[in-house]
Amino acid sequence: MAPAPSEAPPAPTAPEPAAVPEEAPAPLEEPGRKKISFFGMNISAREETAKKALMGAGAVLLLVNGIGIPFVLPKLTQRYLGAPYLPMKSHNVNVLFDRVLPSWLESRTASSAASASSNQKLPLAGLRLIDFGSGDGRIVACAAQHGMKAVGFEVNPWLAMWSKLKTRRAISLAPEPGSGKLRWANAWNESFADVDVVTIYGRPGDGVMARAARKFEDELPSSAAVVSHHFDIPGWENYLVQDIEGLKVYDMSRRDSSRLRSRVVE
């Protein structure tokens, strides 16, 4: 019996081509989204969200500048030159009205024909006071409570507004003839010709005190006094009559004496 023919070997098959990986589809740009460059970073956001973010940032910037600029304005320009806001301590305010000014008034009336107040409880009653840069209004309020006719000039609108609210009750309860007014105004533009007392808190080094001295020299009457808190007024060494706890009192009657002496020397 003849052997069965052997099966032919299977024909070799061609290798299957390697699968080519499909490229991932590029992400579709979501409609309404925009890219914003913020400090070098690209941020994608919806158009409406981007607008709100930009408007919010702009509003915050305006708010910060609107509040902050009035506080630094006195240091930025000569037109509004002055000291930064720094409220006088309550103790110093009390010393000013209970010791410093009554003592000055007593010495003034003793050496001149000026008449002292007949009100023993309110020896300062009727005197006119200007606070040069009134801040929170505490000096004006206390002056009014001592019977003085006080006005405060403040260039910062926020401080002027706040001081009016803060001192409204105290001023309203001031005894006659006391009164107090707090004005949003530049003190450099105001007249000091009809004033008895000026209070000022300046600072050295930028010409505030020297400029104030020139204004006071030109405008204040000889019966007036200037009270500087802590800082000396340059060139006024001969006018200084008191220095109590940093409250320096300069008597303007000595200005006329100094001028007279200088004329005699000439």
Side-chain angles (χ1 to χ4, degrees):
M1 187 172 178
S6 59
E7 295 181 1
T13 57
E16 294 183 3
V20 178
E22 296 183 2
E23 292 185 3
L28 296 176
E29 188 78 22
E30 187 177 339
R33 293 183 75 86
K34 286 191 173 183
K35 288 186 177 180
I36 305 172
S37 180
F38 184 75
F39 290 103
M41 300 181 294
N42 291 324
I43 302 173
S44 179
R46 288 184 177 278
E47 187 173 354
E48 190 64 27
T49 304
K51 286 181 180 178
K52 289 181 179 179
L54 289 174
M55 289 177 65
V60 170
L61 190 62
L62 286 174
L63 182 63
V64 169
N65 282 293
I67 294 176
I69 285 179
F71 284 92
V72 298
L73 192 61
K75 197 169 179 65
L76 296 178
T77 172
Q78 288 290 316
R79 183 177 181 182
Y80 303 103
L81 188 64
Y85 169 58
L86 186 63
M88 183 185 286
K89 294 180 180 179
S90 299
H91 170 74
N92 295 106
V93 175
N94 293 332
V95 169
L96 173 63
F97 291 101
D98 294 339
R99 293 173 53 195
V100 174
L101 290 181
S103 176
W104 162 76
L105 182 61
E106 184 178 354
S107 64
R108 187 187 77 163
T109 54
S111 60
S112 70
S115 59
S117 171
S118 60
N119 191 333
Q120 298 300 318
K121 292 184 179 179
L122 298 172
L124 303 175
L127 292 181
R128 298 152 298 184
L129 178 143
I130 284 182
D131 190 14
F132 196 105
S134 52
D136 64 1
R138 64 182 63 191
I139 290 180
V140 170
C142 195
Q145 290 172 343
H146 282 76
M148 301 181 76
K149 299 175 181 179
V151 179
F153 298 121
E154 177 54 55
V155 73
N156 185 324
W158 309 119
L159 283 176
M161 187 186 309
W162 175 50
S163 65
K164 288 180 181 181
L165 295 173
K166 180 175 179 287
T167 62
R168 182 170 53 185
R169 177 173 172 77
I171 291 175
S172 68
L173 296 176
E176 291 290 341
S179 64
K181 296 179 181 179
L182 291 158
R183 293 178 51 195
W184 175 32
N186 186 357
W188 295 113
N189 299 333
E190 302 297 327
S191 172
F192 287 64
D194 193 24
V195 180
D196 296 302
V197 178
V198 177
T199 54
I200 182 172
Y201 181 85
R203 65 171 186 264
D206 57 2
V208 174
M209 302 305 279
R211 182 179 173 186
R214 291 193 297 271
K215 181 175 179 65
F216 299 154
E217 287 259 14
D218 292 340
E219 299 182 18
L220 283 175
S222 58
S223 58
V226 177
V227 182
S228 175
H229 183 206
H230 189 68
F231 296 111
D232 296 323
I233 298 180
W236 278 26
E237 292 79 10
N238 293 333
Y239 303 176
L240 184 66
V241 293
Q242 291 185 41
D243 187 349
I244 301 175
E245 297 193 30
L247 296 168
K248 305 175 188 296
V249 181
Y250 296 90
D251 195 318
M252 297 307 296
S253 65
R254 296 198 170 193
R255 168 195 58 190
D256 300 330
S257 301
S258 297
R259 289 176 177 175
L260 181 61
R261 284 195 298 269
S262 64
R263 287 174 185 170
V264 171
V265 171
E266 290 174 0

